[in-house]
Amino acid sequence: MTQQLAGSPFLKPTFPKAPVGGPLRHRRHTLPASEFRNLTPQDAISVFEIEREAFVSVSGECPLTLDEVLNFLAQCPELSLGWLEEGQLVAFIIGSGWDKEKLSQEAMTQHFPHSPTVHMHVLSVHRHCRQQGKGSILLWRYLQYLRCVPGLRRALLICEDFLVPFYLKAGFKERGPSAISVSNMRFQEMEHSLGGQAYARRNSGC
């Protein structure tokens, strides 16, 4: 996988009176330069377009179909995190709940609420924003965020061998070959402990 402030639709905006002899200067409303937030089903198309471009050209397969993206963002938006720049999605992570010791094929499409484990399905960065360290930054932010979610104890994922060093650097540990296969591709299972919740909450504003 931030707080947003919402204005009341019933409040009528007021503006200060213009000084005598001078024009009224309206404040220009701009989108935040950079924002991290949970995703919603309304983000699904943007998510899928980034995912499809990133994965189909490499492996011919998307980790999640559009229907699966919609399903997870509807069922467990709190286990997702998107990075937006000036309102445009540039990177994201989608997760779901999992209630068993190791990931199985069932974990690819199912969400189990109130589980102590998050299955990280996909981390993807827009093609114009790659090679800028955004994947590492988003992953760090996501793991810090998960430490603030009550009841979560660990994150699991599967990845191809060439991505193992990336996740090891982020603090994941190898758990050996995964039982999951997709189009004859084989994966390694990785685990990250979300322990130390009390310390994390004291030092992250949770």
Side-chain angles (χ1 to χ4, degrees):
M1 249 80 44
T2 58
Q3 296 180 340
Q4 295 177 304
L5 299 177
S8 170
F10 303 106
L11 294 178
K12 182 178 180 180
T14 59
F15 299 96
K17 293 182 179 180
V20 177
L24 174 64
R25 291 188 176 183
H26 294 278
R27 183 178 178 181
R28 186 172 62 183
H29 295 278
T30 58
L31 292 166
S34 188
E35 175 189 15
F36 294 88
R37 66 166 172 82
N38 297 129
L39 299 172
T40 72
Q42 286 69 39
D43 298 304
I45 296 296
S46 296
V47 165
F48 186 67
E49 288 177 349
I50 294 173
E51 178 197 27
R52 181 173 56 186
E53 190 281 328
F55 286 92
V56 171
S57 60
V58 176
S59 63
E61 295 280 346
C62 281
L64 299 174
T65 67
L66 179 57
D67 285 343
E68 289 165 349
V69 171
L70 283 164
N71 182 51
F72 287 130
L73 294 185
Q75 290 194 67
C76 46
E78 73 281 1
L79 298 181
S80 69
L81 189 65
W83 185 347
L84 291 84
E85 292 187 339
E86 298 183 348
Q88 299 298 312
L89 187 67
V90 298
F92 68 87
I93 295 173
I94 292 180
S96 66
W98 181 243
D99 64 351
K100 297 179 177 61
E101 176 62 23
K102 300 196 72 173
L103 296 173
S104 68
Q105 206 73 36
E106 184 183 15
M108 304 298 284
T109 57
Q110 300 296 314
H111 165 60
F112 294 86
H114 314 299
S115 299
T117 300
V118 175
H119 172 205
M120 288 177 52
H121 291 270
V122 56
L123 183 165
S124 190
V125 179
H126 192 284
R127 65 182 182 276
H128 295 314
C129 301
R130 291 175 197 151
Q131 305 303 318
Q132 299 175 21
K134 280 184 165 57
S136 297
I137 294 170
L138 179 62
L139 179 58
W140 183 85
R141 290 290 296 259
Y142 184 69
L143 293 171
Q144 295 302 309
Y145 163 74
L146 291 181
R147 288 188 173 94
C148 298
V149 178
L152 292 183
R153 295 293 178 266
R154 62 179 186 152
L156 294 178
L157 61 83
I158 60 171
C159 66
E160 294 182 80
D161 289 342
F162 76 94
L163 285 171
V164 168
F166 171 81
Y167 288 107
L168 288 175
K169 188 175 180 180
F172 282 78
K173 295 181 179 179
E174 293 184 77
R175 304 193 74 204
S178 171
I180 299 171
S181 63
V182 178
S183 297
N184 297 320
M185 291 189 296
R186 307 301 300 179
F187 305 98
Q188 296 294 318
E189 183 164 312
M190 311 286 291
E191 178 180 23
H192 193 291
S193 172
L194 301 174
Q197 288 86 353
Y199 175 84
R201 292 193 181 107
R202 286 198 302 270
N203 292 275
S204 63
C206 296

